Amino acid sequence: MSTGLPILYSFRRCPYAMRGRLALDVSGLGVEHREILLRDKPQAMLDASPKGTVPVLVLDDGRVIEESLEVMLWALGQNDPENWLEGQERSLDLIAACDDQFKPHLDRYKYATRYEGADPLEHRAAASEFVTVLDKRLQQHRCLTGDRDRLADYGIFPFIRQFANTDRAWFDAQSWAALKSWLARHLGSERFARIMEKHPLWSGTG
């Protein structure tokens, strides 16, 4: 039975889905959470968003938001109690660098066998350049764009988490003290615990 709420198709461990859920959490907006498996995507999700990636947010008026950053901006546009959108342009520039420059190297580091000829260590080194940039920013301020967490922090941290977890021993041996502290703070937050709560797989009905 429909709840009358926006429908969120999500996959718990996907960093794109994480950042969408983080923004929905702070906004306080209710959604009907439909947990899916990326290897077994439900037809209802594909009908709404044929590209088949998460998150997908289906609004009650039928509109479909199928990019994670757009989900964040929509949710915060409805309610932004912690002012994540303050200084939005700086955040968007950093997120664009994460998505366009860092993430391709992260994928070829973490999933090297999926990319013909990819050398995971070369891609780890290239990805590390972005991580070093973030660490230098965090040496100056507690958060990426100042003294408070904003859109950039929540839009980027799930991907740094993924990078760190690819080879945790190697990551822990690096000299990014400020970034490690920032990452640990987010990983230990109540908000992250909430958005990582396990949901039963959506059955495809209801």
Side-chain angles (χ1 to χ4, degrees):
M1 181 179 295
S2 174
T3 62
L5 297 171
I7 296 168
L8 176 70
Y9 292 98
S10 184
F11 177 63
R12 181 174 176 269
R13 297 194 306 275
C14 172
Y16 291 106
M18 285 180 198
R19 71 182 180 190
R21 298 197 307 270
L22 286 163
L24 287 164
D25 180 85
V26 75
S27 74
L29 300 173
V31 296
E32 179 185 330
H33 187 118
R34 294 182 176 179
E35 185 73 11
I36 63 108
L37 289 176
L38 294 176
R39 65 174 181 269
D40 187 19
K41 299 163 188 171
Q43 189 59 46
M45 182 186 118
L46 294 173
D47 290 343
S49 177
K51 68 188 185 71
T53 61
V54 290
V56 175
L57 187 65
V58 182
L59 303 182
D60 55 6
D61 62 5
R63 285 182 296 154
V64 176
I65 303 176
E66 54 185 359
E67 297 290 346
S68 60
L69 182 56
E70 294 303 316
V71 171
M72 295 187 82
L73 293 173
W74 177 83
L76 296 169
Q78 308 304 305
N79 190 35
D80 184 17
E82 296 181 9
N83 295 316
W84 288 15
L85 294 179
E86 184 179 9
Q88 181 178 157
E89 289 306 315
R90 287 179 297 162
S91 286
L92 291 175
D93 287 345
L94 275 176
I95 291 172
C98 173
D99 292 1
D100 299 340
Q101 301 167 30
F102 172 73
K103 186 59 164 61
H105 291 300
L106 170 58
D107 287 343
R108 287 159 179 79
Y109 166 43
K110 183 175 176 63
Y111 306 111
T113 57
R114 300 181 185 178
Y115 299 90
E116 184 176 354
D119 181 332
L121 297 186
E122 286 184 6
H123 288 288
R124 183 176 73 185
S128 295
E129 295 177 10
F130 179 70
V131 178
T132 298
V133 168
L134 297 186
D135 183 67
K136 289 179 178 178
R137 296 181 74 96
L138 291 164
Q139 291 173 27
Q140 304 300 315
H141 301 282
R142 180 172 180 266
C143 307
L144 289 178
T145 61
D147 293 327
R148 291 189 296 104
D149 290 314
R150 296 184 177 89
L151 184 69
D153 299 273
Y154 291 100
I156 291 173
F157 121 77
F159 299 91
I160 302 302
R161 171 188 178 272
Q162 190 178 57
F163 178 74
N165 287 345
T166 299
D167 184 340
R168 192 71 201 211
W170 175 87
F171 179 84
D172 287 345
Q174 305 310 302
S175 61
W176 300 310
L179 178 123
K180 290 177 189 176
S181 176
W182 169 85
L183 178 62
R185 178 168 59 80
H186 282 283
L187 291 174
S189 70
E190 292 181 4
R191 172 161 294 132
F192 186 63
R194 280 196 303 273
I195 70 105
M196 292 300 286
E197 289 177 359
K198 292 185 177 180
H199 292 260
L201 285 178
W202 183 60
S203 65
T205 60

